[in-house]
Amino acid sequence: MQLPTPVYKPAFNITRASHLVSRVRDLGASRAFYCDLLGLVVSDETADTLWLRGLEEACHHSLVLKVGEQPAAERIGMRVLTEEDLDLVQAHFAAAGFPTAFVEVPYQGRTLHTTDPAGTPLEFCATMEPRERLFAHADRYHGACALRLDHFQIVTPQVRESLDFYNGMGFRLSEYVMAKGSLEMVFLQRKGNPHDIVFANRAGPRLHHCAYQVPETHHLMHVCDLFVVKDREGQVEFGPARHFSPGLARFLYLRDPDGHRVELFPSHYHTIDIEDAPVEWEAPAFKVGGWIVPPDRWWNDTMAFAPR
Ligand SMILES: [Fe+2]
């Protein structure tokens, strides 16, 4: 299979996966999951919205939870470096035929709403209100001690189209999975570790998961213990184990009270230099010692994006 030629100097600088906006039914239940168990901290809250960030995050939010009648993913957020980059991203999406609109979003600078070829609702911003990094505040560490948002995984039949489109915006292909000659998964990154966004071949567009980095492997085990003592072990879906597959990270997948899937992992590798070529895998690519295959619901139970 011919891979696209990497674009090392794109016309604009998208820097990283930044934040997720989701809808939940009960903010109290969500707060217990994300704050008491995962360890995120509250930056702000109202009666119908919770803005959360990880312990090392220096901006206002990486997760926005809004009360809705039905659980849904609303939008994934990415950062660009400058306001000029934001205008160039808008022009790029508009020229490609996608709807674009600048909107007001609390705690964020000028924000661009658009969609990608898979139909994923996206928002880009160059600035967000700063908040103190709490990673030196040992008294704030609890639960899984989630540090920062790392990446998103989207399911869509448009894996090849997504690869080509994101490659054209300067995303580097770190790893990919082939299944009997067709492209099954692509791992795309801007920030220099294996992925900011992953596209996997399933009906979509739907959100598969977001992922937070935690400090150490033992935090994966500790949070499992917490789920057991709180009689919530049914929300532990897959892991803890290691991906002997794309990313090579140790991992744990959890489901929040509304079914949103969150991955926790303690480590990733750098993939930055010009020699770092994409790594090819053949599905099934989830080998751990013997074969650890995700449960069917890991593949097939995903979150719809809210109608817009
Ligand atoms: Fe992941």
Side-chain angles (χ1 to χ4, degrees), residues 53-260:
R53 73 184 192 277
L55 290 161
E56 75 169 50
E57 290 179 316
C59 288
H60 185 270
H61 53 261
S62 56
L63 182 61
V64 182
L65 301 175
K66 299 179 178 178
V67 174
E69 289 188 5
Q70 294 295 324
E74 192 168 295
R75 202 166 282 277
I76 69 169
M78 295 198 178
R79 290 290 291 270
V80 297
L81 191 62
T82 69
E83 293 292 336
E84 180 186 13
D85 290 315
L86 193 57
D87 289 323
L88 292 168
V89 169
Q90 186 274 330
H92 181 84
F93 276 82
F98 298 107
T100 64
F102 283 104
V103 298
E104 297 285 328
V105 177
Y107 308 106
Q108 295 176 197
R110 200 165 53 110
T111 298
L112 172 68
H113 279 185
T114 188
T115 59
D116 68 10
T120 313
L122 300 170
E123 70 178 38
F124 294 90
C125 62
T127 61
M128 185 183 286
E129 286 190 13
R131 288 293 186 273
E132 181 184 9
R133 291 190 198 270
L134 295 173
F135 60 0
H137 293 245
D139 57 331
R140 302 296 296 271
Y141 282 60
H142 61 277
C145 307
L147 296 173
R148 62 169 179 79
L149 183 103
D150 185 78
H151 63 267
F152 309 106
Q153 182 166 317
I154 307 294
V155 291
T156 171
Q158 277 84 40
V159 175
R160 179 71 210 205
E161 294 90 333
S162 300
L163 167 61
D164 290 338
F165 187 76
Y166 279 76
N167 182 79
M169 297 194 295
F171 282 74
R172 297 269 301 272
L173 180 66
S174 61
E175 310 197 25
Y176 62 103
V177 178
M178 300 296 294
K180 297 176 181 172
S182 67
L183 198 54
E184 186 77 351
M185 300 179 77
V186 293
F187 295 72
L188 294 153
Q189 63 88 10
R190 283 291 300 163
K191 66 182 177 301
N193 75 4
H195 33 293
D196 287 285
I197 190 164
V198 178
F199 292 96
N201 182 22
R202 292 290 187 279
R206 296 172 69 92
L207 179 65
H208 187 272
H209 68 267
C210 71
Y212 275 88
Q213 182 154 358
V214 300
E216 306 287 349
T217 302
H218 73 77
H219 291 102
L220 305 182
M221 305 301 295
H222 177 60
V223 78
C224 286
D225 291 344
L226 293 179
F227 274 85
V228 170
V229 299
K230 292 182 179 294
D231 295 324
R232 291 174 170 222
E233 55 267 39
Q235 291 174 248
V236 178
E237 183 178 60
F238 181 31
R242 181 191 280 281
H243 289 301
F244 274 97
S245 59
L248 201 69
R250 295 186 176 91
F251 67 86
L252 173 66
Y253 292 93
L254 303 166
R255 303 295 290 272
D256 85 354
D258 290 285
H260 296 286

Side-chain angles (χ1 to χ4, degrees), residues 17-34:
S18 165
H19 57 280
L20 172 66
V21 184
S22 288
R23 296 183 188 172
V24 299
R25 289 167 296 189
D26 181 341
L27 276 189
S30 297
R31 183 176 178 142
F33 176 88
Y34 287 100

